[in-house]
Amino acid sequence: MAVLPEQVIYMDNNATTRIAPEVLDAMMPYLTQFYGNPSSMHTFGGQVGQAISQARQQIADLLGADPGEIVFTSCGTESDSTAILSAIQSFPEKNHVITTRVEHPAVKNLCDNLEIFTGRKYHVTRLPVAADGTLDMQRYRESLTDDTAIVSVMWANNETGVLFPVEEMAQIARERGVLFHTDAVQAVGKVPINLRETAIDFLSLSGHKLHAPKGIGVLYVRKGTPYIPFMNGGHQEHGRRGGTENVASIIGLGRACALAAEKMEEENTRVRALRDKLEQGLLSTVPKALRNGHPTQRLPNTANISFEYVEGEAILLHMNQLNICASSGSACTSGSLEPSHVLRAMGVPFTAAHGSIRFSLSIYNTEEEVDFVLARMPDIITKLRALSPFWEDK
Amino acid sequence: MWEYTDKVQDHFINPRNVGEIEDADGVGNVGSIACGDALRLTIKVDENQVITDAKFKTFGCASAIASSSMLTEMLKGMKLEDAKRLTNDDIARALGGLPKEKMHCSVMGREALEAAIADYTGAILPMAQGEVVCECFGVTDLEIIRAIRENALTSVEDITNFTKAGGGCGKCEGKLRALLTETMAGEAGQPTGVAKKKRMTTLEKIKKIEEVVEREIKPTLKKDGGDIRLIDVDGDFVTVSLRGSCANCHSSRTTLKEYVERKLREQVLESLIVEEDK
């Protein structure tokens, strides 16, 4: 039953990515010989601390930040929670938070439940999006008040790849004296980021989205930003996040960030061309196929396509028969009964929302793979439409 | 990733009896594209009341397609009487089981079958007549109560898994909990599948009958231009007069027996007999 990695066509990189071989090589010594604790006084442990410093520098370089602004966490979700809860605790007199309707659950569910976590009532503005998934900036400007504790807006949407103008938004927030956090989990490594040139106060990233392992995340905290730790304990991360460092993963993430800087151009040329070929091929060969999301204001690797009048889980399982891995915004894949909140916020009609498939590529995808998917997808859709009671009427 | 049995996978990848019977004797349409799944079942019934053919078209996930395909296989050659007794659990078991979050797919199969049989016999479907509790998925109280009873459900989550009710905005959760408590209390000490029988005084009985007629039966008939008046209650005999379009309708007898009587039996007393005042 097991499916071997060499058998699959993996187009689900917004869910997670493979660990780059270079990353694993960098990690191995720290999983084997160099097991010392970086906090120890002896050289054997201390040298691990030096390796961590180097990784911190590599990550800071990719983000255009200072190493002192990098805080290691366990994942993107922890980074998001830390930033948002820190901001609202730092400004107890403020009771307003701004976010969007299309955030990842890590931010969305936190903002939905702030009262439970803080014991205080918060007014949450969830900015709507247009049909192409973009934000109304005027609406954003108007929603900022003196009461706003923090703005949290994702850099790139995980389902559609649509990019939000977070740099501009952070600048607007700063002018109003409001902290700005961005969940950049999908953006880091795919779009150029230079935090020194921005007014972004907090940024979350996650290792496993850029070819580092799962279980390692980073919160960028701009120097001078009020900060209250989420995990208390030892003096690690200068008291900003207690807990012994996940050493090997930190080293791996450092290497992955250096690699991402090298591959950024390929991501935006070759990978983008593959994505465009896949997307245009599907839209032209499959009738009633629609793209979800803005055509250009988007990550280079993501294509979200709706196949009308068929259901996403059924499509995915047929793709699975061919060992093609992707995701769907359909209700049935999540165990919930409603389709993706992102597509609903965009006003994608139900005929299309249930049949959405997200293809997310990486530098490891090839043109042969794209050609194979293009050759097989039309048959899958035709087969399912032959079953659909809604199709014949079209 | 869902854990589907080999049977589910087989019926999903190689669905049987896909399509529509052109001169079908019964057609059942349930679900909608907004809800995420829908099924159109067509059946052919011969003079011996045996289902000779069944075909389906389904929009939905793998388990919805597999449930529909399995249902059509089960139906072919089955006596109509037996088909009427088919439950969602029968469909799920024939597939070697479904993940509990997917049980609503088997419920959809059963509902389509009921709709197709009702279409064939000209009866009015009782389940659709209840009050809508879950607005997101259009699920009625009667559908929920039946799912609780037949599948011995014990939590609101179960109700959602079997009927989808409560799986959208979640606003009906309180109502679902109330229905669950009520139904479970009614089930205690009762053999399953039998409507609850309560001792009630004549006064209580009349009041209850009046209430069901006013609240549910009358509004439903009025939608079709009909009307009803309660004339008398004598023991188990309930006399009503049908008015408006119902008065001249040739299927008024069916309406009376299949709908009014069934409704009163379900909600008031199993032994009631409804007659028309001529």
Side-chain angles (χ1 to χ4, degrees), chain A residues 350 354 390, chain B residues 30-39 59 108 136-137 164:
Chain A
F350 280 114
H354 286 290
F390 301 113
Chain B
V30 292
S32 77
I33 209 156
C35 292
D37 45 22
L39 163 56
F59 163 81
M108 178 169 78
C136 295
F137 295 107
K164 297 176 96 170

Side-chain angles (χ1 to χ4, degrees), chain A residues 309-311 313-314 317-318 320-321 332-335 337-338 350-351 354 383-384 386-390 392-393, chain B residues 1-2 4 12-13 15 18 20 33-34 36 38 40 57-62 65 102 104 137 160 164 167-168:
Chain A
Y309 308 105
V310 284
E311 200 280 326
E313 186 206 280
L317 287 180
H318 272 291
N320 190 49
Q321 294 278 314
C332 292
T333 51
S334 60
L337 292 167
E338 294 207 319
F350 280 114
T351 51
H354 286 290
K383 188 169 180 192
L384 287 171
L387 296 179
S388 173
F390 301 113
E392 63 211 335
D393 310 323
Chain B
M1 177 113 211
W2 300 111
Y4 286 133
F12 165 61
I13 299 290
V18 175
E20 277 179 61
I33 209 156
R40 180 182 301 156
K57 282 209 161 181
T58 291
F59 163 81
C61 57
I65 290 168
K102 296 285 189 176
H104 61 82
F137 295 107
T160 307
K164 297 176 96 170

Side-chain angles (χ1 to χ4, degrees), chain B residues 1-203:
Chain B
M1 177 113 211
W2 300 111
E3 294 283 327
Y4 286 133
T5 63
D6 290 348
K7 269 236 167 80
V8 172
Q9 302 221 23
D10 177 34
H11 277 263
F12 165 61
I13 299 290
N14 310 299
R16 280 69 145 175
N17 311 309
V18 175
E20 277 179 61
I21 301 171
E22 289 212 347
D23 52 345
D25 295 315
V27 182
N29 277 305
V30 292
S32 77
I33 209 156
C35 292
D37 45 22
L39 163 56
R40 180 182 301 156
L41 177 72
T42 47
I43 55 170
K44 195 92 192 127
V45 184
D46 72 6
E47 63 283 3
N48 301 319
Q49 302 294 291
V50 170
I51 298 174
T52 53
D53 198 9
K55 287 196 158 130
F56 81 94
K57 282 209 161 181
T58 291
F59 163 81
C61 57
S63 51
I65 290 168
S67 295
S68 312
S69 168
M70 180 53 88
L71 171 66
T72 54
E73 284 288 274
M74 293 165 84
L75 287 179
K76 287 207 282 184
M78 192 182 258
K79 281 190 198 141
L80 203 61
E81 278 312 303
D82 295 334
K84 279 182 186 169
R85 284 195 290 271
L86 209 66
T87 66
N88 68 285
D89 194 48
D90 294 333
I91 302 170
R93 266 185 298 154
L95 287 166
L98 284 172
K100 69 173 169 32
E101 295 87 347
K102 296 285 189 176
M103 284 303 287
H104 61 82
C105 295
S106 65
V107 173
M108 178 169 78
R110 197 264 193 109
E111 284 176 354
L113 172 60
E114 282 183 328
I117 294 175
D119 182 46
Y120 169 68
T121 59
I124 295 171
L125 266 186
M127 288 305 134
Q129 308 294 336
E131 236 173 280
V132 172
V133 174
C134 168
E135 306 227 338
C136 295
F137 295 107
V139 190
T140 68
D141 54 353
L142 297 185
E143 289 168 321
I144 293 162
I145 290 168
R146 182 166 76 169
I148 296 170
R149 282 193 184 145
E150 291 189 348
N151 299 287
L153 306 184
T154 56
S155 68
V156 171
E157 198 190 330
D158 282 347
I159 296 178
T160 307
N161 288 336
F162 277 76
T163 66
K164 297 176 96 170
C169 71
K171 277 187 194 140
C172 60
E173 199 193 320
K175 286 186 195 165
L176 295 181
R177 202 170 295 287
L179 278 174
L180 184 71
T181 316
E182 237 172 75
T183 313
M184 283 170 72
E187 284 296 284
Q190 294 275 343
T192 48
V194 176
K196 55 182 168 185
K197 283 179 200 159
K198 272 192 284 184
R199 251 175 217 285
M200 51 171 84
T201 65
T202 309
L203 195 63

